[in-house]
Amino acid sequence: MHHIVEDADAVAGRAAGWIADAIRKAVRDKGACSLALAGGSTPRQAYQRLPTLPVVPWSQVEVFFGDERAVSPESPDSNFRMAQETFLSQVPIPEAKIHRMPAERDDLNTAAREYEALLPASLDVLLLGIGPDGHTASLFPHAPALQERQHRVVRVVGGEPLVQRLTITPPVIQQAARTLVLATGAEKADAVARALEGPEDVEAVPAQLARGGTWILDRAAARSLRGAEGPGATRS
């Protein structure tokens, strides 16, 4: 299902409401919610809305991350720092339930093994973005990590500039109960179309791993979709 809204501000508002509702549903059904966060400018705007939403059972939420660059948690490039500043520091989630990826460590392979041990068997809510190249989390086109089935978190090198990272692997995405993908801007339009409507080719377009999730797009990001008016789309 993909939802097309007017602009980035509307994406942020719709996404924040979706996240809050997904948390409420998980807590209602299970008594708790495991939530994995994405980095990037589009999620940032959604995160900024979350502390203002009513009746979100934050104390029952356990927070994870889908990927992280090999930087300190104080770095401007840290996904943890962005999430901490935009909303984690403003909602009553117990500190012990916030699990950042320790990607600044020298031994990233050991860090990956330790982090995957923290992950639940299936995330209740997984948030993702998509890059202009079709990557999601830090799963980049044609990367060996796309073939990973044994480990749920691995060390990778990718992005621009090329840096070391930790990332969840395809099984984590495929096993999540609810997945939300956010995309804004015309530079994402081709990748969005390939992810949602192109031939199945996860190697070339890793974001296809989340094809069955909910996508919230602005008009610019959705402009290359043939099915923008079709049965899988809603527009507001």
Side-chain angles (χ1 to χ4, degrees):
M1 172 71 73
H2 51 279
H3 304 277
I4 301 169
V5 297
E6 185 63 31
D7 53 24
D9 188 62
V11 168
R14 176 71 70 90
W18 187 98
I19 294 165
D21 190 51
I23 291 170
R24 295 185 194 108
K25 288 177 180 176
V27 171
R28 182 190 66 212
D29 294 343
K30 301 175 53 182
C33 176
S34 54
L35 168 67
L37 302 178
S41 58
T42 305
R44 173 193 289 272
Q45 295 181 59
Y47 296 163
Q48 290 171 335
R49 307 286 187 93
L50 288 173
T52 68
L53 299 182
V55 199
V56 181
W58 292 114
S59 63
Q60 303 305 113
V61 175
E62 191 159 15
V63 174
F64 302 89
F65 287 81
D67 69 323
E68 184 63 273
R69 298 174 185 85
V71 297
S72 77
E74 292 80 28
S75 168
D77 294 326
S78 165
N79 289 341
F80 167 77
R81 175 177 171 174
M82 184 272 283
Q84 179 74 6
E85 291 180 347
T86 53
F87 91 98
L88 292 177
S89 61
Q90 301 173 50
V91 296
I93 301 175
E95 186 175 348
K97 290 186 177 182
I98 299 175
H99 308 289
R100 72 175 184 87
M101 282 183 160
E104 78 283 5
R105 286 171 49 179
D106 292 335
D107 186 348
L108 285 181
N109 290 322
T110 297
R113 301 290 73 73
E114 293 175 359
Y115 200 80
E116 71 182 5
L118 295 174
L119 288 174
S122 172
L123 289 163
D124 296 311
V125 183
L126 172 60
L127 310 181
L128 294 170
I130 179 173
D133 61 354
H135 84 266
T136 193
S138 283
L139 295 170
F140 294 92
H142 306 291
L146 290 167
Q147 301 299 322
E148 184 62 61
R149 295 299 181 268
Q150 178 182 358
H151 294 301
R152 305 177 73 219
V153 179
V154 295
R155 177 183 67 85
V156 298
V157 177
E160 294 182 7
L162 285 173
V163 295
Q164 292 198 94
R165 302 161 181 252
L166 292 178
T167 185
I168 57 173
T169 58
V172 178
I173 297 175
Q174 293 166 330
Q175 294 162 6
R178 297 181 179 92
T179 301
L180 177 66
V181 185
L182 304 179
T184 60
E187 71 278 7
K188 304 284 183 72
D190 180 62
V192 166
R194 293 169 67 206
L196 288 174
E197 298 179 341
E200 186 173 345
D201 188 353
V202 170
E203 284 290 307
V205 192
Q208 287 185 356
L209 289 162
R211 183 180 261 185
T214 299
W215 292 58
I216 301 178
L217 316 167
D218 70 358
R219 287 183 182 272
R223 70 180 187 180
S224 296
L225 288 173
R226 296 187 305 273
E229 305 295 344
T234 62
R235 186 181 288 274
S236 61

